[in-house]
Amino acid sequence: MIDVKEAYEALIASGIDMFTGVPDSLLKNICAYITDTAPREKHIIAANEGNAVGIAAGHYLATGKPALVYMQNSGLGNTVNPLLSLADEKVYSIPMVLMIGWRGEPGVHDEPQHVKQGEVTLALLDAMQIPYIILEDASQIKAQVELSLERKAPTAIVIRKGTFGSYKLKNARSNNNPLSREDAMKLVVDHLKDSDVVVSTTGKLSRELFEYREAKQQGHGHDFLTVGSMGHSSSIALGIALEKPNRRVFCFDGDGAFIMHTGALGIVASMNPRNYFHILFNNDAHESVGGQPTIGYELDAVTMAKASGYKQAMRATTREEMIAALQQLETTEGPVLLELRVKIDSREDLGRPTTTPIQNKEAFMEELSK
């Protein structure tokens, strides 16, 4: 097990002083240490992983020094284009070091959305011709940074589960909002009609929705739990809403996922689905993967939705405001965005869905066919 302070100091000693990426549960300890230690202008939590590669490229162009780009292996897909058409030695030849959390490593139990990505992670790096190591000791870091500089191209450090020692974020994001995400979600579900369907984003929100349906003995056919593909729930919901115009479709989104692909707002608005209701649960943090901050409150989601062409956009913080907004939705045509500002909080005993993704898909499709 590698001490996060030792790993950070090895990166600094190797000439890396810029850190950017998207938080991951396997990297939460090192990311927390970077958040607490690096100057604010030297650590950027990016909108998505491709965004982080772009930031790293700009940093190198300005300084001649590589940056560290951290991500979950699920985020590799977002980096393929900028890695191969920007940073590759056959294009602009830009060094950077990728730190990749290896979710779904073969032989290590993980959630179903990580299994395939885990199987192909190393093969994908091989296909992109990015040299990598599987980190076992902090002393390996220097050589990987030097290799990136020598090749003038990206290299990678792959992180297995349990690689880093524990570290708790000291400068954790907090807010004074009265309701938790789970409490707000329950209010929304209690205002749904029998014919309404839900597409919920990856992370704890889908797990909380699953458990609330269990507690209410409602079954799960009305909900599509987007366990992977972060940032795409709003687009999935759009595809459904256009084909099922007589059913209200609710997208349960999170601020990290919303920020990751904000361009979807304009596409939703351009299609003008009257039955589309975008519920943004905003706690200003990547709470599902360690509590790293987002720009959820710096970004004005309500103004963005209106500017994109949503017919209506609202914000609610208290229980009373949320109930009033949900009642207003009953007589409002979409597309609508309702931002619910919630506190950073989740239950320690929160479980995971007991159905498989295939079972969820089939039950949801059966419900949609009625």
Side-chain angles (χ1 to χ4, degrees):
M1 192 172 289
I2 300 171
D3 181 74
V4 292
K5 182 175 184 288
E6 184 183 4
Y8 178 83
E9 290 177 348
L11 289 163
I12 294 292
S14 301
I16 285 182
D17 65 357
M18 170 59 80
F19 306 87
T20 183
V22 177
D24 166 46
S25 56
L26 297 191
L27 304 179
K28 66 180 180 181
N29 295 319
I30 184 69
C31 286
Y33 190 82
I34 292 169
T35 299
D36 283 340
T37 308
R40 187 178 186 277
E41 67 276 9
K42 294 291 187 177
H43 180 211
I44 302 173
I45 297 177
N48 60 59
E49 296 82 0
N51 175 207
V53 171
I55 292 167
H59 173 74
Y60 174 76
L61 292 172
T63 67
K65 298 194 297 185
L68 182 81
V69 178
Y70 59 82
M71 70 190 78
Q72 185 180 108
N73 54 347
S74 296
L76 264 175
N78 284 332
T79 70
V80 171
N81 179 30
L83 284 173
L84 297 184
S85 65
L86 172 69
D88 190 83
E89 62 264 46
K90 292 181 180 179
V91 191
Y92 287 105
S93 194
I94 296 177
M96 63 186 65
V97 178
L98 315 177
M99 182 173 280
I100 304 166
W102 195 2
R103 295 297 303 268
E105 177 187 355
V108 178
H109 176 72
D110 212 326
E111 299 307 308
Q113 67 268 27
H114 298 297
V115 173
K116 176 59 73 172
Q117 187 71 55
E119 289 176 356
V120 304
T121 293
L122 302 186
L124 183 56
L125 290 170
D126 285 333
M128 291 192 289
Q129 299 176 0
I130 295 177
Y132 63 86
I133 59 169
I134 299 172
L135 191 66
E136 296 180 352
D137 190 272
S139 63
Q140 296 174 281
I141 291 173
K142 181 180 179 182
Q144 205 64 358
V145 177
E146 289 176 346
L147 179 61
S148 180
L149 284 166
E150 178 186 328
R151 296 179 71 244
K152 290 189 177 179
T155 60
I157 298 172
V158 177
I159 306 298
R160 285 184 161 127
K161 184 177 181 180
T163 293
F164 290 118
S166 179
Y167 180 86
K168 188 173 178 61
L169 185 66
K170 295 176 182 176
N171 299 318
R173 183 64 58 92
S174 63
N175 62 57
N176 296 318
N177 295 325
L179 269 66
S180 69
R181 178 186 53 246
E182 187 169 18
D183 289 336
M185 177 274 298
K186 289 177 179 179
L187 287 179
V188 180
V189 170
D190 289 345
H191 279 80
L192 296 178
K193 301 175 182 177
D194 289 342
S195 59
D196 295 341
V197 295
V198 175
V199 178
S200 63
T201 190
T202 185
K204 291 183 179 179
L205 177 57
S206 281
R207 294 161 61 184
E208 290 163 346
L209 174 60
F210 184 91
E211 291 206 346
Y212 192 48
R213 293 291 199 186
E214 286 278 285
K216 291 174 72 73
Q217 299 181 326
Q218 291 182 335
H220 304 285
H222 286 79
D223 308 323
F224 183 81
L225 310 178
T226 315
V227 294
S229 62
M230 182 174 171
H232 293 299
S233 294
S234 59
S235 298
I236 296 169
L238 174 62
I240 296 166
L242 294 174
E243 298 299 331
K244 297 293 178 180
N246 295 321
R247 303 188 75 156
R248 296 198 304 174
V249 180
F250 285 75
C251 172
F252 285 10
D253 218 345
D255 48 301
F258 177 88
I259 291 164
M260 186 167 276
H261 296 294
T262 53
L265 286 172
I267 302 303
V268 169
S270 73
M271 298 307 298
N272 196 34
R274 296 182 177 183
N275 56 332
Y276 188 98
F277 298 89
H278 197 162
I279 313 298
L280 172 60
F281 297 84
N282 188 353
N283 62 9
D284 200 32
H286 286 285
E287 197 258 334
S288 291
V289 289
Q292 301 292 322
T294 70
I295 55 167
Y297 291 175
E298 297 170 55
L299 201 70
D300 189 337
V302 169
T303 299
M304 286 182 63
K306 288 179 179 177
S308 298
Y310 276 52
K311 287 184 178 176
Q312 178 82 274
M314 302 174 283
R315 177 179 296 124
T317 302
T318 67
R319 180 181 295 271
E320 292 73 22
E321 290 171 349
M322 292 181 190
I323 290 172
L326 290 166
Q327 289 172 341
Q328 187 176 338
L329 292 188
E330 294 177 6
T331 56
T332 302
E333 281 191 355
V336 174
L337 180 130
L338 171 58
E339 178 192 3
L340 304 179
R341 293 203 167 183
V342 295
K343 63 184 176 181
I344 303 169
D345 181 58
S346 59
R347 289 184 286 116
E348 291 290 335
D349 63 347
L350 180 62
R352 295 184 181 274
T354 55
T355 56
T356 68
I358 296 295
Q359 289 171 331
N360 176 217
K361 179 199 73 173
E362 291 175 347
F364 186 73
M365 290 182 71
E366 181 180 351
E367 173 61 33
L368 285 178
S369 69
K370 294 178 182 177

